Amino acid sequence: MEELIKKYSAIDRCPIRNVISHFSSKWGILILLLLGETEKLRFNEIYKILPDISPKVLSSTLKSLEQDQLVTRKMYATIPPKVEYRISEDGLTLLPILQDLAQWGLMKMTKA
């Protein structure tokens, strides 16, 4: 019991809390999976693929993923500004796990 308390109660060292903090909503995982399947996407392209996300939530999710270094953002000095998002090297290491989760979800859907 002491080991479990040590492992999960320390907020700053708990591995599960660390992972969950990156994905407090479904959008982070979906966006990483999208970027994992493409070379790059622009904001409006992501928005077209995920029409049920609001622009505000999409913007904040992309900023959060960028702060977590899971996504990179490249801005071009054009008028209007052009911004591209790509999955980062850290994001790529997470991609197989997310793809496994997606496969599990598909499997559960087909059994229902």
Side-chain angles (χ1 to χ4, degrees):
M1 183 67 141
E2 286 296 316
E3 284 187 36
L4 288 176
I5 291 170
K6 222 186 262 186
K7 184 176 181 180
Y8 295 110
S9 66
I11 295 169
D12 59 334
R13 292 182 311 220
C14 177
I16 299 305
R17 290 175 195 245
N18 182 5
V19 170
I20 291 171
S21 72
H22 294 298
F23 307 109
S24 58
S25 77
K26 64 183 174 184
W27 302 115
I29 293 172
L30 282 169
I31 290 168
L32 285 174
L33 285 168
L34 284 175
L35 292 172
E37 291 185 29
T38 62
E39 182 182 334
K40 62 187 177 287
L41 286 172
R42 295 181 65 188
F43 184 93
N44 285 335
E45 292 172 324
I46 298 170
Y47 186 67
K48 284 179 187 173
I49 296 168
L50 303 174
D52 53 333
I53 189 172
S54 72
K56 182 179 178 180
V57 171
L58 176 55
S59 179
S60 67
T61 303
L62 286 167
K63 285 178 186 172
S64 176
L65 291 171
E66 185 181 6
Q67 287 173 343
D68 292 338
Q69 298 178 343
L70 298 172
V71 165
T72 61
R73 178 180 185 264
K74 185 174 183 180
M75 187 170 187
Y76 296 90
T78 60
I79 298 175
K82 177 181 173 184
V83 180
E84 293 176 342
Y85 296 92
R86 298 171 189 261
I87 194 164
S88 69
E89 291 297 319
D90 282 349
L92 286 172
T93 65
L94 187 57
L95 198 55
I97 297 163
L98 298 179
Q99 290 168 334
D100 285 346
L101 281 172
Q103 276 302 119
W104 181 83
L106 286 171
M107 180 185 70
K108 295 303 276 183
M109 285 176 50
T110 58
K111 287 185 177 180

